[in-house]
Amino acid sequence: NDFAKEMFSTAGERNIRHLIIDVRSNGGGNSNTGDEICRYISSKPFHWISHTTQRISEPVRQQRNLTLPDTLIHYPPITEEQLMQPYPDSVRFNGKCYLLMSHRTYSSAASFAWEFTRFGMGVAIGEEVGDPAISTGDVIYQQLPHSHFTVAIPYKVFYSYGIREGEPNRGALPDIAVPKDQ
């Protein structure tokens, strides 16, 4: 948050008119980072996620310190009132934004690309991101009994905002399709 505040403050002071955000080969991180950047560049309310489904099991309870019983939890879709609000015009970036993305854009970076493209925050250039609109999220880790390999097991499914029943489950698509190397 501090980095974004300083970056957009500096952009305003220097009258920067074009911003290029590069999430090619970005494996993700903290979804709040993308949300914070969107608050500076979006002119309308937004959100990357519509709803989630979460499977609680004994291994999930143990690793996440939960007391819930074995269950499947369906969180309802967010309402328009629950969309994230952009910052006021006085602090928001009012120049043109460009997003560079690739097939190797995953997780929180892919979620950011979804917000950016779905809510028209600028021009997306590159390739479809690696994570589809309906994808798994939070994971637990388990060691396999014979090979002793450790595997990540997702226990949440995320539904990106605006994905409709029957719509192809694709990742964020660029406005201008270009191989990532170019």
Side-chain angles (χ1 to χ4, degrees):
N1 290 356
D2 291 341
F3 169 76
K5 183 177 181 178
E6 181 180 339
M7 179 178 72
F8 287 106
S9 174
T10 300
E13 290 167 5
R14 294 184 183 175
N15 199 29
I16 301 220
R17 304 307 315 147
H18 299 276
L19 175 65
I20 299 171
I21 303 168
D22 188 350
V23 294
R24 294 172 296 168
S25 299
N26 185 319
N30 185 331
S31 296
N32 294 329
T33 302
D35 294 339
E36 185 66 11
I37 291 170
C38 287
R39 292 188 73 198
Y40 282 100
I41 63 176
S42 183
S43 61
K44 58 187 170 190
F46 63 90
H47 210 299
W48 73 270
I49 192 170
S50 168
H51 58 288
T52 61
T53 298
Q54 180 174 312
R55 169 72 169 99
I56 303 298
S57 64
E58 182 60 30
V60 171
R61 274 197 302 281
Q62 288 175 357
Q63 289 189 31
R64 298 294 182 198
N65 290 326
L66 300 174
T67 57
L68 297 167
D70 278 10
T71 188
L72 191 61
I73 303 170
H74 299 284
Y75 296 95
I78 65 169
T79 64
E80 285 192 28
E81 292 78 31
Q82 292 171 308
L83 292 174
M84 293 185 198
Q85 298 299 313
Y87 284 124
D89 288 346
S90 59
V91 296
R92 217 173 61 241
F93 180 76
N94 292 308
K96 293 189 183 259
C97 295
Y98 304 89
L99 178 66
L100 305 180
M101 54 196 214
S102 72
H103 294 305
R104 298 180 73 108
T105 303
Y106 290 101
S107 194
S108 294
S111 302
F112 170 75
W114 185 268
E115 287 173 315
F116 186 95
T117 59
R118 190 55 67 138
F119 290 92
M121 296 180 198
V123 177
I125 303 166
E127 304 167 331
E128 177 180 351
V129 301
D131 274 348
I134 302 171
S135 61
T136 58
D138 297 355
V139 298
I140 58 170
Y141 296 94
Q142 293 285 292
Q143 188 176 52
L144 298 176
H146 299 290
S147 66
H148 302 289
F149 287 132
T150 299
V151 295
I153 303 170
Y155 65 94
K156 258 186 201 177
V157 176
F158 294 102
Y159 298 82
S160 296
Y161 191 86
I163 188 73
R164 291 168 191 79
E165 189 69 37
E167 184 177 350
N169 186 22
R170 300 190 66 182
L173 296 169
D175 299 303
I176 301 170
V178 177
K180 75 177 175 101
D181 301 348
Q182 297 176 20

